[in-house]
Amino acid sequence: MDDTPDDSAALLQLLGTPGTAVFLDFDGTLVDLASTPDGVRLEAGVVEALALLAERHGGALALISGRPIVQIDAMLAPLTLPVAGVHGVERRGADGVLHVAATPDVSPVLARAQALAERYPGLLVEQKRGAVALHYRLAPDLEQLCLQEMTAAVQACPGVLLLHGKMVLEAKPAATDKGGAIAAFMQETPFAGRRPVFAGDDTTDEAGFAYVQLAGGQGVKVGKGPSAATLRLASPGALRAALLTASVSPFKE
């Protein structure tokens, strides 16, 4: 029996309250995790629910993802939303302007990760703008070897931080994170002056939880595991259900 707390009612109240700014992670939050990044699928009705919810909140809904923006756009097409990609390295505001942060050289990390993947076919290397992700979901027994290799690679690259997510190790710029991306959105129309709510599932989302809660909002942890978030949902399915309900329910003043 799953004993994960279910704060769906509290989330529904937040989503149904005027003046909320909604921020959502993608993998493991809006969609279920898959064996490979290309294997995730959006369930029917989710894009429509996001469009309705964004409209009801005056456009104050954004995705905050580790994926590049181009991938998020492809998944949500034809819907285009404000998005922060690669943990904030890329950020497109509601006005459509793209902001790209300066990034350190991660080519030594990429080379080391690719060399490891050539030795072990179960590993997958994902190259992003200023970041490198090494996925070992198809070879979980190689976790310690991957951690050892990626740690050594990052230590040789100033300004690069290693994130340990769900079956993935990602080298990314230390100067950018999801909390900073949300903070930047909160300085802009239509997010400014609203109460931020951020839902995420992984260690990479903790910076986002910390920011929104410091700003008087709520973090929503999706799934099991320790977290600073004050609210929790059992699964991505529970989050999707809340979004679908909130998108068609009347606002509560």
Side-chain angles (χ1 to χ4, degrees), residues 8-19:
S8 293
L11 177 59
L12 271 172
Q13 183 173 359
L14 291 168
L15 293 176
T17 301

Side-chain angles (χ1 to χ4, degrees), residues 9-28:
L11 177 59
L12 271 172
Q13 183 173 359
L14 291 168
L15 293 176
T17 301
T20 299
V22 183
F23 299 98
L24 303 168
D25 174 44
F26 191 77
D27 293 88

